[in-house]
Amino acid sequence: MENTIITPDKDLYNGGKCFTKGKEYTVKGHVKTEAGLMDMQTINDQGQPHIIGSWWRNFVILEY
């Protein structure tokens, strides 16, 4: 299965820092648009699985 590499455009917090601006994260699958990230899951900075959800607007796709 292919992966998509994403990065947030700002630090994102939810009970602690979840995602760091400029850090790369991987989601499974071939996602071509940021809106497609809404239901995708990645591992956050706390080492927990995290669904992107409404934060998709704060992510940029680097590579798919």
Side-chain angles (χ1 to χ4, degrees):
M1 177 176 274
E2 298 177 11
N3 292 322
T4 300
I5 300 171
I6 59 174
T7 189
D9 59 8
K10 64 181 182 179
D11 291 343
L12 299 169
Y13 296 86
N14 184 15
K17 188 189 270 187
C18 286
F19 299 102
T20 302
K21 178 181 179 178
K23 184 175 177 182
E24 295 181 0
Y25 301 89
T26 303
V27 296
K28 291 183 180 179
H30 187 76
V31 183
K32 292 184 180 181
T33 65
E34 282 77 9
L37 294 170
M38 186 178 297
D39 297 325
M40 303 306 289
Q41 179 175 290
T42 190
I43 302 298
N44 67 17
D45 290 353
Q46 299 170 12
Q48 303 166 332
H50 195 288
I51 294 176
I52 301 296
S54 63
W55 282 352
W56 68 266
R57 293 174 180 89
N58 300 111
F59 280 88
V60 176
I61 294 174
L62 299 177
E63 181 181 323
Y64 58 85

